Amino acid sequence: MPGFELPSNISSTTRATRLAAVQTEMNNGVYYNARLDPKNYLEGPLSMNPATRLRQMLARPGIIAPGICDGISARCALEAGFNCLYQSGAATTASRLGQPDVAIATLNDFVGAAQMVCSLDPTVPVIADADTGFGGPVNVARTVRQYAQAGVAGMHIEDQVQTKRCGHLVGKQVVSREEFVTRIRAAVIARDSITGDSDFVIIGRTDSAQILGIGEAITRLRLAADAGADVCFIEGVKTAELLESTVAALAPKPVLVNVISGGLTPSFTVQEAEALGAKIIIFSLVSCVAMVHAVRAAMHSLKKTGTDFTSAQGMDPKAFFEVMGLNDIIELDKQAGGSAFQVI
């Protein structure tokens, strides 16, 4: 597999074995890993490992993943009962940098956000945006390893050029089919080289539908699936009919759809998207757009009235900290024999 490298910190024997396995699985251009076959995840209790759990969820009824942008939004999503979270690239860029989603955030920004989010409940799968992989094949492989180490269950990698933009903006440009497939292969090889047989999920995303047409988008996603992508992500699909036909064309690979109110994709409900065949439905900006409205209103209210009484809506500091996990901390301290939080 010219152009691909396994991590330098594994032995030559392990390296040879894993490369041979990859080459066998890539025979005739189609990747297959018997260990990761969806039928292996159909039965049994959900795993405590988030990547394994995500594969189990993919083999069972659909997945709803609200977009989170920081610790507060992640805590609120968990409190609401969601069992999968989506770390949006746009939301992460906005919350960490106060910048728009136009290729400003770096790998370190994304990994830092993921480490925090994944630590809140390590059993809940987090799907994370990885943009274009932050460089060539070696950079893509590095991204996979760092995401997996951070506790991320799966990531999506796209076919935009390096100076990418939000998938629901116009003026996008995409790389060639060959370069896109190279990114997917690099991600798969990196995943398969992780010690301990990682279940990390690779999601191939194409932004080509708005530029080159839905036929090209489907072709690219088929190529991504052949290269080892576990899930196909069609960005900016504009009608229910196109989503349904895309799902049918890519079957049995699961399809992810990104719903953004006011974006290129219709504002499908979860039920509508599932009826059209989508397996994963993400709502990328649900938290950060709501946050803008709420914080704007609070700031204007404070400026106008000179108090935050109205915007607080009766939530005192202790109630706020309880949303952030205060009760878990009190219980842990108590179980350990501590007394720091007997009165709080």
Side-chain angles (χ1 to χ4, degrees):
M1 300 288 294
F4 299 108
E5 294 184 9
L6 288 172
S8 59
N9 61 345
I10 64 176
S11 71
S12 57
T13 301
T14 302
R15 178 183 297 273
T17 300
R18 291 182 182 170
L19 277 175
V22 169
Q23 289 167 347
T24 298
E25 290 162 348
M26 290 299 297
N27 189 34
N28 298 322
V30 177
Y31 173 92
Y32 177 72
N33 187 330
R35 183 180 64 81
L36 299 178
D37 193 302
K39 69 176 182 292
N40 297 330
Y41 300 87
L42 282 169
E43 299 178 352
L46 290 176
S47 173
M48 299 296 282
N49 178 286
T52 304
R53 180 174 289 217
L54 180 57
R55 286 191 178 273
Q56 292 172 315
M57 293 166 69
L58 281 168
R60 302 173 191 191
I63 300 170
I64 309 161
I68 51 90
C69 58
D70 59 7
I72 296 175
S73 58
R75 285 288 189 185
C76 290
L78 293 171
E79 182 187 56
F82 287 100
N83 58 9
C84 185
L85 304 179
Y86 173 62
Q87 182 177 302
S88 159
T92 300
T93 303
S95 65
R96 292 182 72 86
L97 305 178
Q99 298 288 341
D101 184 16
V102 287
I104 296 173
T106 66
L107 173 59
N108 290 343
D109 293 318
F110 280 65
V111 171
Q115 288 171 331
M116 178 273 297
V117 170
C118 293
S119 73
L120 299 180
D121 186 338
T123 68
V124 172
V126 174
I127 299 170
D129 189 346
D131 281 359
T132 61
F134 307 102
V138 174
N139 299 79
V140 171
R142 179 170 180 259
T143 298
V144 169
R145 292 192 293 271
Q146 292 207 15
Y147 273 41
Q149 289 169 2
V152 173
M155 73 175 212
H156 64 75
I157 185 167
E158 66 199 48
D159 59 355
Q160 284 198 57
V161 297
Q162 294 295 340
T163 50
K164 62 143 294 175
R165 62 191 65 192
C166 170
H168 288 254
L169 296 177
V170 297
K172 295 184 290 184
Q173 299 178 60
V174 295
V175 298
S176 67
R177 293 179 183 177
E178 292 75 18
E179 186 169 345
F180 176 44
V181 172
T182 295
R183 292 175 182 175
I184 300 298
R185 285 188 184 132
V188 171
I189 291 170
R191 188 269 314 286
D192 289 349
S193 73
I194 294 173
T195 302
D197 291 333
S198 173
D199 281 340
F200 189 81
V201 174
I202 305 296
I203 302 169
R205 162 179 155 173
T206 184
D207 286 74
S208 62
Q210 294 78 49
I211 310 162
L212 304 174
I214 195 70
E216 176 65 16
I218 290 172
T219 296
R220 286 178 177 234
L221 290 175
R222 282 175 173 161
L223 291 170
D226 286 347
D230 302 294
V231 178
C232 294
F233 178 173
I234 177 76
E235 179 65 298
V237 61
K238 291 185 175 181
T239 68
E241 293 75 20
L242 286 176
L243 176 57
E244 189 171 35
S245 62
T246 299
V247 170
L250 296 171
K253 282 288 179 180
V255 171
L256 182 155
V257 64
N258 181 19
V259 179
I260 296 179
S261 182
L264 296 173
T265 298
S267 295
F268 298 124
T269 65
V270 169
Q271 294 77 14
E272 289 169 341
E274 287 181 339
L276 294 168
K279 184 65 181 181
I280 305 176
I281 304 98
I282 60 174
F283 293 83
S284 295
L285 301 183
V286 63
S287 61
C288 58
V289 169
M291 193 175 296
V292 167
H293 289 308
V295 174
R296 267 182 169 174
M299 293 299 177
H300 284 299
S301 176
L302 175 59
K303 181 73 173 177
K304 181 178 179 179
T305 67
T307 177
D308 69 344
F309 181 80
T310 300
S311 61
Q313 298 182 52
M315 178 176 280
D316 62 24
K318 185 178 180 182
F320 170 71
F321 296 138
E322 285 173 347
V323 178
M324 298 303 109
L326 175 62
N327 291 334
D328 292 336
I329 290 172
I330 293 172
E331 182 61 25
L332 174 62
D333 183 74
K334 179 181 177 181
Q335 289 179 357
S339 58
F341 302 112
Q342 287 182 338
V343 178
I344 190 167

